[in-house]
Amino acid sequence: ILLAMSTSGKSKNIIEAIIAAHHRKMQVIVMTGHDGGDIPPLLGENDIEVRVPSNSTERIQEVHGIVIHCLCDIIDTQLFKSGE
């Protein structure tokens, strides 16, 4: 799985990483902002986009940070059964 973040959805390195991941048959989870930029058309049916519909870069990055913390908590719980 490729986990990528692009506030604008136009980051060339992220776009290239998505294309490379698809060539390797990897699933893509991407966090974007605004309107998703150039990334949404690149995504397949098994990929996931978490889009923050805001024009504020600060707000988008803040929400991306919260999502990352939530993902880490879910992974930790699933792998290590923490909290039991």
Side-chain angles (χ1 to χ4, degrees):
I1 295 175
L2 170 69
L3 175 61
M5 297 186 312
S6 175
T7 302
S8 68
K10 297 180 182 195
S11 305
K12 289 185 181 188
N13 58 334
I14 299 300
I15 290 169
E16 290 174 10
I18 291 169
I19 292 167
H22 284 152
H23 283 143
R24 291 170 176 79
K25 308 288 190 222
M26 294 170 65
Q27 183 179 12
V28 174
I29 301 171
V30 63
M31 293 187 285
T32 64
H34 306 289
D35 61 1
D38 299 328
I39 291 176
L42 300 174
L43 301 178
E45 63 182 37
N46 294 319
D47 296 329
I48 298 169
E49 179 189 15
V50 178
R51 185 183 304 172
V52 181
S54 174
N55 291 322
S56 167
T57 298
E58 295 82 6
R59 178 66 60 207
I60 295 165
Q61 291 174 348
E62 179 181 36
V63 174
H64 285 178
I66 293 168
V67 171
I68 288 289
H69 284 288
C70 291
L71 287 173
C72 289
D73 184 56
I74 291 167
I75 292 167
D76 185 49
T77 300
Q78 291 296 313
L79 290 179
F80 305 110
K81 306 294 184 203
S82 64
E84 288 186 9

